[in-house]
Protein backbone atom coordinates (compact mmCIF):
# COMPACT_ATOMS: atom_id res chain seq x y z
CA UNK A 1 0.00 0.00 0.00
CA UNK A 2 1.17 3.52 -0.82
CA UNK A 3 0.68 6.00 2.04
CA UNK A 4 0.69 9.68 1.05
CA UNK A 5 1.43 11.80 4.12
CA UNK A 6 0.42 15.42 4.68
CA UNK A 7 3.46 16.83 6.48
CA UNK A 8 1.75 20.24 6.71
CA UNK A 9 -1.32 19.04 8.62
CA UNK A 10 -0.25 20.65 11.91
CA UNK A 11 -0.71 24.09 10.36
CA UNK A 12 -4.43 23.54 10.95
CA UNK A 13 -4.82 23.43 14.72
CA UNK A 14 -8.07 24.90 15.95
CA UNK A 15 -8.29 26.27 19.47
CA UNK A 16 -12.03 25.88 20.10
CA UNK A 17 -15.24 24.66 18.53
CA UNK A 18 -18.88 25.18 19.43
CA UNK A 19 -20.10 21.84 20.82
CA UNK A 20 -23.46 21.33 22.52
CA UNK A 21 -23.89 24.99 23.26
CA UNK A 22 -20.45 25.88 24.57
CA UNK A 23 -16.92 26.48 23.35
CA UNK A 24 -14.71 23.45 23.97
CA UNK A 25 -11.22 22.43 22.84
CA UNK A 26 -11.35 21.02 19.30
CA UNK A 27 -11.97 17.30 19.03
CA UNK A 28 -10.28 17.31 15.61
CA UNK A 29 -6.66 17.86 16.68
CA UNK A 30 -3.21 17.31 15.12
CA UNK A 31 -2.57 14.53 17.64
CA UNK A 32 -5.01 12.33 15.73
CA UNK A 33 -2.73 12.03 12.72
CA UNK A 34 0.41 11.89 14.83
CA UNK A 35 -0.91 8.81 16.68
CA UNK A 36 -1.76 7.18 13.37
CA UNK A 37 1.66 7.94 11.91
CA UNK A 38 3.35 6.52 15.01
CA UNK A 39 1.31 3.32 14.67
CA UNK A 40 2.29 3.03 11.02
CA UNK A 41 5.93 3.19 12.04
CA UNK A 42 5.33 0.39 14.55
CA UNK A 43 3.38 -1.73 12.07
CA UNK A 44 4.44 -0.78 8.53
CA UNK A 45 1.74 -1.63 6.01
CA UNK A 46 3.19 0.28 3.09
CA UNK A 47 5.57 2.90 1.78
CA UNK A 48 5.15 6.44 3.14
CA UNK A 49 5.68 9.31 0.72
CA UNK A 50 4.62 12.93 0.16
CA UNK A 51 2.43 14.37 -2.61
CA UNK A 52 3.52 16.41 -5.60
CA UNK A 53 1.90 19.70 -6.69
CA UNK A 54 -1.89 19.84 -6.63
CA UNK A 55 -3.80 20.08 -9.92
CA UNK A 56 -5.70 23.35 -9.48
CA UNK A 57 -8.03 22.56 -12.38
CA UNK A 58 -9.12 19.33 -10.69
CA UNK A 59 -9.77 21.17 -7.42
CA UNK A 60 -12.03 23.60 -9.29
CA UNK A 61 -14.03 20.70 -10.78
CA UNK A 62 -15.10 19.56 -7.31
CA UNK A 63 -15.35 22.91 -5.51
CA UNK A 64 -16.76 26.19 -6.81
CA UNK A 65 -14.30 28.96 -7.75
CA UNK A 66 -15.80 31.53 -5.38
CA UNK A 67 -15.62 29.06 -2.49
CA UNK A 68 -11.97 28.27 -3.20
CA UNK A 69 -11.19 31.98 -3.49
CA UNK A 70 -12.80 32.59 -0.12
CA UNK A 71 -10.87 29.83 1.62
CA UNK A 72 -7.57 30.97 0.13
CA UNK A 73 -7.96 34.51 1.50
CA UNK A 74 -10.17 34.03 4.55
CA UNK A 75 -7.48 34.18 7.22
CA UNK A 76 -5.94 37.36 5.86
CA UNK A 77 -9.39 38.96 5.76
CA UNK A 78 -10.09 37.86 9.32
CA UNK A 79 -6.89 39.42 10.63
CA UNK A 80 -7.41 42.57 8.55
CA UNK A 81 -10.65 43.19 10.43
CA UNK A 82 -8.68 43.45 13.68
CA UNK A 83 -5.01 42.53 14.26
CA UNK A 84 -6.06 40.94 17.58
CA UNK A 85 -7.92 38.30 15.54
CA UNK A 86 -4.56 36.67 14.84
CA UNK A 87 -4.86 35.13 18.31
CA UNK A 88 -8.37 33.82 17.68
CA UNK A 89 -9.95 31.24 15.38
CA UNK A 90 -12.62 32.38 12.94
CA UNK A 91 -16.02 30.73 13.49
CA UNK A 92 -19.20 31.51 11.54
CA UNK A 93 -22.13 33.09 13.34
CA UNK A 94 -24.82 33.75 10.68
CA UNK A 95 -26.27 31.56 7.92
CA UNK A 96 -28.61 31.98 4.93
CA UNK A 97 -31.43 29.61 5.82
CA UNK A 98 -34.60 28.82 3.83
CA UNK A 99 -35.79 31.71 1.69
CA UNK A 100 -32.54 33.67 2.07
CA UNK A 101 -30.39 34.40 -0.98
CA UNK A 102 -27.14 32.53 -1.56
CA UNK A 103 -26.43 33.72 -5.10
CA UNK A 104 -25.15 37.16 -4.08
CA UNK A 105 -21.67 37.20 -2.56
CA UNK A 106 -21.75 39.55 0.47
CA UNK A 107 -18.95 42.06 1.05
CA UNK A 108 -19.12 41.44 4.79
CA UNK A 109 -16.63 38.78 5.96
CA UNK A 110 -18.92 37.27 8.62
CA UNK A 111 -21.69 36.97 6.05
CA UNK A 112 -19.39 35.12 3.65
CA UNK A 113 -18.21 32.81 6.45
CA UNK A 114 -21.84 31.88 6.99
CA UNK A 115 -22.58 31.56 3.29
CA UNK A 116 -19.82 28.98 2.88
CA UNK A 117 -20.36 26.95 6.07
CA UNK A 118 -23.03 24.90 7.80
CA UNK A 119 -21.91 24.73 11.45
CA UNK A 120 -20.07 26.63 14.17
CA UNK A 121 -17.82 23.71 15.03
CA UNK A 122 -15.24 24.08 12.28
CA UNK A 123 -12.68 26.75 13.21
CA UNK A 124 -10.76 28.42 10.42
CA UNK A 125 -7.16 29.07 11.46
CA UNK A 126 -4.03 30.65 10.01
CA UNK A 127 -2.98 27.36 8.43
CA UNK A 128 -6.33 25.82 7.52
CA UNK A 129 -6.03 26.53 3.81
CA UNK A 130 -2.43 25.30 3.63
CA UNK A 131 -3.21 22.07 5.48
CA UNK A 132 -6.45 21.36 3.61
CA UNK A 133 -4.89 22.08 0.24
CA UNK A 134 -1.96 19.77 0.95
CA UNK A 135 -4.42 17.15 2.12
CA UNK A 136 -6.23 17.42 -1.19
CA UNK A 137 -2.89 16.89 -2.90
CA UNK A 138 -2.42 13.71 -0.84
CA UNK A 139 -5.80 12.34 -1.94
CA UNK A 140 -5.15 13.14 -5.59
CA UNK A 141 -1.65 11.63 -5.48
CA UNK A 142 -3.00 8.47 -3.85
CA UNK A 143 -5.68 8.11 -6.53
CA UNK A 144 -3.23 8.85 -9.34
CA UNK A 145 -0.97 6.07 -8.11
CA UNK A 146 -3.85 3.62 -8.08
CA UNK A 147 -5.13 4.77 -11.48
CA UNK A 148 -1.68 4.37 -13.02
CA UNK A 149 -1.45 0.80 -11.79
CA UNK A 150 1.70 1.45 -9.79
CA UNK A 151 -0.12 0.28 -6.65
CA UNK A 152 -3.35 -1.59 -6.00
CA UNK A 153 -4.21 0.45 -2.91
CA UNK A 154 -3.27 3.79 -1.36
CA UNK A 155 -4.05 5.78 1.78
CA UNK A 156 -4.24 9.56 2.01
CA UNK A 157 -2.86 10.16 5.50
CA UNK A 158 -4.11 13.66 6.06
CA UNK A 159 -6.14 16.04 8.13
CA UNK A 160 -8.32 18.07 8.32
CA UNK A 161 -10.78 15.44 7.09
CA UNK A 162 -12.93 16.03 4.03
CA UNK A 163 -16.16 14.08 3.61
CA UNK A 164 -18.47 16.77 5.03
CA UNK A 165 -17.20 19.47 2.63
CA UNK A 166 -19.48 20.15 -0.33
CA UNK A 167 -19.04 21.98 -3.59
CA UNK A 168 -19.23 25.34 -1.84
CA UNK A 169 -19.42 24.75 1.90
CA UNK A 170 -17.29 23.62 4.83
CA UNK A 171 -18.30 22.06 8.14
CA UNK A 172 -17.80 18.96 10.23
CA UNK A 173 -14.09 19.84 10.51
CA UNK A 174 -13.83 19.57 6.68
CA UNK A 175 -12.83 22.17 4.06
CA UNK A 176 -11.94 20.24 0.88
CA UNK A 177 -13.50 16.90 0.02
CA UNK A 178 -10.59 14.48 -0.28
CA UNK A 179 -12.78 11.47 -1.08
CA UNK A 180 -14.53 13.31 -3.91
CA UNK A 181 -11.20 14.48 -5.31
CA UNK A 182 -9.90 10.91 -5.20
CA UNK A 183 -13.02 9.61 -6.94
CA UNK A 184 -12.76 12.23 -9.69
CA UNK A 185 -9.08 11.44 -10.14
CA UNK A 186 -9.90 7.76 -10.57
CA UNK A 187 -12.57 8.67 -13.14
CA UNK A 188 -10.07 10.82 -15.02
CA UNK A 189 -7.57 7.98 -14.81
CA UNK A 190 -9.74 5.65 -16.86
CA UNK A 191 -12.14 3.98 -14.43
CA UNK A 192 -15.61 4.47 -15.90
CA UNK A 193 -17.54 3.64 -12.71
CA UNK A 194 -16.22 4.49 -9.26
CA UNK A 195 -17.81 3.80 -5.87
CA UNK A 196 -17.34 5.75 -2.64
CA UNK A 197 -18.09 3.62 0.45
CA UNK A 198 -18.03 5.83 3.55
CA UNK A 199 -17.56 3.98 6.86
CA UNK A 200 -17.27 7.02 9.15
CA UNK A 201 -19.78 7.32 12.01
CA UNK A 202 -21.16 10.51 10.49
CA UNK A 203 -22.90 10.70 7.13
CA UNK A 204 -20.73 11.85 4.22
CA UNK A 205 -23.09 14.67 3.33
CA UNK A 206 -20.55 16.61 1.29
CA UNK A 207 -19.64 13.64 -0.89
CA UNK A 208 -23.30 12.78 -1.41
CA UNK A 209 -24.15 16.32 -2.48
CA UNK A 210 -21.22 16.54 -4.91
CA UNK A 211 -22.16 13.37 -6.79
CA UNK A 212 -25.93 13.25 -6.19
CA UNK A 213 -26.90 13.94 -9.81
CA UNK A 214 -24.10 11.90 -11.40
CA UNK A 215 -24.43 8.36 -12.67
CA UNK A 216 -20.72 7.53 -12.90
CA UNK A 217 -19.97 7.67 -9.15
CA UNK A 218 -21.90 5.62 -6.62
CA UNK A 219 -21.98 6.99 -3.08
CA UNK A 220 -22.72 4.67 -0.15
CA UNK A 221 -22.61 5.72 3.49
CA UNK A 222 -22.99 3.73 6.74
CA UNK A 223 -23.62 6.14 9.60
CA UNK A 224 -25.55 7.15 12.66
CA UNK A 225 -29.25 7.84 12.07
CA UNK A 226 -29.50 11.53 11.05
CA UNK A 227 -32.68 11.94 13.10
CA UNK A 228 -30.39 11.95 16.16
CA UNK A 229 -26.84 12.24 14.78
CA UNK A 230 -24.76 14.95 13.10
CA UNK A 231 -24.94 16.26 10.38
CA UNK A 232 -28.72 15.74 10.81
CA UNK A 233 -30.04 17.19 7.55
CA UNK A 234 -28.86 14.51 5.10
CA UNK A 235 -28.26 10.79 5.32
CA UNK A 236 -31.78 9.34 5.25
CA UNK A 237 -32.48 6.07 3.46
CA UNK A 238 -34.86 7.66 0.95
CA UNK A 239 -32.10 9.80 -0.58
CA UNK A 240 -31.32 7.78 -3.72
CA UNK A 241 -29.91 10.35 -6.14
CA UNK A 242 -31.52 12.46 -8.84
CA UNK A 243 -31.39 12.91 -12.61
CA UNK A 244 -28.58 10.83 -14.07
CA UNK A 245 -27.66 9.89 -10.51
CA UNK A 246 -31.02 8.34 -9.65
CA UNK A 247 -30.31 5.08 -7.84
CA UNK A 248 -26.62 5.95 -7.39
CA UNK A 249 -26.77 6.95 -3.73
CA UNK A 250 -27.36 4.54 -0.86
CA UNK A 251 -27.62 5.58 2.78
CA UNK A 252 -27.57 2.96 5.52
CA UNK A 253 -28.45 4.82 8.74
CA UNK A 254 -28.04 2.87 11.98
CA UNK A 255 -29.31 3.59 15.52
CA UNK A 256 -27.19 4.67 18.46
CA UNK A 257 -25.62 1.72 20.23
CA UNK A 258 -25.24 -0.39 17.08
CA UNK A 259 -22.73 -3.20 17.62
CA UNK A 260 -20.37 -4.80 15.17
CA UNK A 261 -22.63 -7.63 13.99
CA UNK A 262 -25.34 -5.25 12.76
CA UNK A 263 -22.80 -2.72 11.50
CA UNK A 264 -20.99 -5.45 9.53
CA UNK A 265 -24.27 -6.60 8.00
CA UNK A 266 -24.83 -3.05 6.76
CA UNK A 267 -21.30 -3.01 5.34
CA UNK A 268 -22.20 -6.19 3.48
CA UNK A 269 -25.22 -4.42 1.97
CA UNK A 270 -23.00 -1.56 0.93
CA UNK A 271 -20.51 -3.90 -0.71
CA UNK A 272 -23.35 -5.67 -2.53
CA UNK A 273 -24.43 -2.29 -3.91
CA UNK A 274 -20.87 -1.56 -5.05
CA UNK A 275 -20.86 -4.87 -6.92
CA UNK A 276 -24.31 -4.28 -8.41
CA UNK A 277 -23.19 -0.86 -9.65
CA UNK A 278 -20.29 -2.47 -11.49
CA UNK A 279 -17.67 -0.29 -9.84
CA UNK A 280 -14.16 -0.62 -11.24
CA UNK A 281 -12.47 1.24 -8.37
CA UNK A 282 -13.31 2.09 -4.77
CA UNK A 283 -12.78 5.07 -2.47
CA UNK A 284 -13.18 4.49 1.26
CA UNK A 285 -13.56 7.54 3.51
CA UNK A 286 -12.08 5.85 6.57
CA UNK A 287 -13.48 7.14 9.84
CA UNK A 288 -12.84 5.15 13.00
CA UNK A 289 -15.26 7.13 15.15
CA UNK A 290 -17.43 4.00 15.12
CA UNK A 291 -15.20 2.88 18.02
CA UNK A 292 -16.90 2.23 21.37
CA UNK A 293 -14.73 4.83 23.14
CA UNK A 294 -15.27 7.71 20.74
CA UNK A 295 -16.32 10.84 22.67
CA UNK A 296 -18.74 12.25 20.08
CA UNK A 297 -20.19 9.06 18.55
CA UNK A 298 -22.36 6.17 19.73
CA UNK A 299 -21.55 2.86 18.04
CA UNK A 300 -19.80 0.08 19.96
CA UNK A 301 -17.14 -1.36 17.64
CA UNK A 302 -13.96 -2.64 19.28
CA UNK A 303 -10.39 -2.42 18.06
CA UNK A 304 -10.28 -6.06 16.91
CA UNK A 305 -13.34 -5.47 14.70
CA UNK A 306 -11.37 -3.15 12.44
CA UNK A 307 -9.28 -6.05 11.11
CA UNK A 308 -12.51 -7.62 9.83
CA UNK A 309 -13.59 -4.33 8.28
CA UNK A 310 -10.36 -4.25 6.30
CA UNK A 311 -10.84 -7.84 5.16
CA UNK A 312 -14.43 -7.17 4.11
CA UNK A 313 -13.39 -4.12 2.10
CA UNK A 314 -10.64 -6.14 0.42
CA UNK A 315 -13.22 -8.76 -0.59
CA UNK A 316 -14.56 -6.30 -3.17
CA UNK A 317 -11.38 -7.02 -5.14
CA UNK A 318 -11.13 -3.44 -6.40
CA UNK A 319 -8.31 -0.92 -6.70
CA UNK A 320 -8.88 1.12 -3.54
CA UNK A 321 -8.06 4.57 -2.17
CA UNK A 322 -8.56 5.31 1.54
CA UNK A 323 -8.92 8.84 2.88
CA UNK A 324 -8.50 9.52 6.60
CA UNK A 325 -11.69 10.98 8.10
CA UNK A 326 -13.03 10.92 11.67
CA UNK A 327 -12.04 9.26 14.94
CA UNK A 328 -11.69 11.26 18.15
CA UNK A 329 -10.69 8.70 20.77
CA UNK A 330 -7.22 10.01 20.05
CA UNK A 331 -5.15 7.34 21.78
CA UNK A 332 -6.89 4.54 19.83
CA UNK A 333 -7.20 6.27 16.45
CA UNK A 334 -3.89 4.94 15.16
CA UNK A 335 -4.51 1.38 16.36
CA UNK A 336 -7.98 1.20 14.83
CA UNK A 337 -7.07 2.76 11.50
CA UNK A 338 -3.97 0.61 11.03
CA UNK A 339 -6.03 -2.46 11.97
CA UNK A 340 -8.25 -1.67 8.96
CA UNK A 341 -5.27 -1.26 6.66
CA UNK A 342 -3.59 -4.39 7.99
CA UNK A 343 -6.80 -6.40 7.59
CA UNK A 344 -7.20 -5.07 4.06
CA UNK A 345 -3.75 -6.28 3.13
CA UNK A 346 -3.92 -9.67 4.84
Amino acid sequence: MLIVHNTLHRQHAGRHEMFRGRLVPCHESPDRLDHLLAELHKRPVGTITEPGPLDEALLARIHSPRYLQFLAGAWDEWVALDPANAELDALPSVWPVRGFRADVLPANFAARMGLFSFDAGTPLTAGSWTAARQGAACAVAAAQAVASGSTRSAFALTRPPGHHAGTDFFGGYCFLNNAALAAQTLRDGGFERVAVLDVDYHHGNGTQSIFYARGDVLTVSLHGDPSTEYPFYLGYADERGEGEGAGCNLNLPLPRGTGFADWRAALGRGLDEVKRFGAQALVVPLGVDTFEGDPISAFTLRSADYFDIGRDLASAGLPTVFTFEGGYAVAEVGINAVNVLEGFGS
Side-chain angles (χ1 to χ4, degrees):
M1 178 176 290
L2 180 70
I3 300 165
V4 190
H5 176 213
N6 181 357
T7 59
L8 304 180
H9 78 95
R10 278 193 158 271
Q11 294 196 35
H12 174 71
R15 296 172 177 86
H16 296 94
E17 63 175 274
M18 183 66 72
F19 181 69
R20 296 173 182 168
R22 59 193 179 96
L23 284 175
V24 301
C26 289
H27 291 97
E28 202 292 297
S29 69
D31 290 347
R32 300 174 60 247
L33 190 144
D34 292 340
H35 277 277
L36 178 44
L37 185 61
E39 191 67 23
L40 284 168
H41 286 308
K42 291 179 186 176
R43 291 190 284 158
V45 296
T47 303
I48 300 177
T49 187
E50 296 179 27
L54 178 63
D55 182 350
E56 301 291 344
L58 174 61
L59 193 60
R61 291 170 64 195
I62 295 297
H63 295 287
S64 74
R66 70 175 191 170
Y67 173 63
L68 294 173
Q69 184 177 14
F70 170 77
L71 286 181
W75 182 256
D76 288 342
E77 286 195 69
W78 171 240
V79 175
L81 291 174
D82 183 345
N85 284 348
E87 302 303 318
L88 302 170
D89 296 340
L91 285 169
S93 58
V94 293
W95 290 270
V97 296
R98 293 163 297 282
F100 286 38
R101 292 186 64 175
D103 59 316
V104 178
L105 190 64
N108 182 280
F109 175 78
R112 275 181 288 125
M113 275 284 285
L115 179 66
F116 293 123
S117 69
F118 69 91
D119 68 23
T122 307
L124 194 149
T125 76
S128 296
W129 173 243
T130 297
R133 193 175 175 282
Q134 188 73 351
C138 290
V140 170
Q144 286 174 334
V146 169
S148 72
S150 63
T151 184
R152 184 75 173 172
S153 60
F155 177 42
L157 176 59
T158 184
R159 53 164 297 281
H163 72 148
H164 292 305
T167 299
D168 60 355
F169 58 79
F170 67 89
Y173 312 138
C174 304
F175 297 94
L176 298 175
N177 195 306
N178 300 320
L181 287 162
Q184 186 61 56
T185 300
L186 291 170
R187 281 287 294 109
D188 294 345
F191 295 105
E192 294 184 0
R193 297 172 79 79
V194 174
V196 180
L197 177 53
D198 192 323
V199 298
D200 190 277
Y201 179 81
H202 303 96
H203 176 246
N205 61 298
T207 315
Q208 173 176 307
S209 67
I210 288 168
F211 294 119
Y212 202 64
R214 286 177 53 170
D216 58 337
V217 178
L218 170 73
T219 46
V220 179
S221 181
L222 289 68
H223 52 268
D225 186 339
S227 66
T228 61
E229 307 306 308
Y230 182 94
F232 305 114
Y233 308 111
L234 279 180
Y236 291 91
D238 63 351
E239 297 158 15
R240 297 290 287 138
E242 64 185 14
E244 293 182 3
C248 295
N249 187 81
L250 176 64
N251 288 324
L252 298 166
L254 298 165
R256 295 175 68 86
T258 292
F260 184 53
D262 290 339
W263 189 95
R264 193 178 191 183
L267 177 62
R269 287 184 58 196
L271 287 166
D272 288 344
E273 187 74 1
V274 170
K275 183 177 181 180
R276 182 205 61 77
F277 179 71
Q280 299 166 335
L282 180 65
V283 177
V284 179
L286 177 58
V288 292
D289 43 1
T290 49
F291 179 60
E292 62 182 352
D294 196 273
I296 60 173
S297 304
F299 290 164
T300 60
L301 277 63
R302 298 179 177 179
S303 291
D305 297 330
Y306 292 95
F307 288 110
D308 289 327
I309 293 172
R311 295 185 191 103
D312 288 355
L313 292 168
S315 73
L318 296 173
T320 302
V321 177
F322 293 88
T323 60
F324 182 41
E325 303 293 346
Y328 308 101
V330 175
E332 292 85 4
V333 163
I335 293 168
N336 295 337
V338 176
N339 284 359
V340 174
L341 302 180
E342 196 170 282
F344 184 85
S346 63

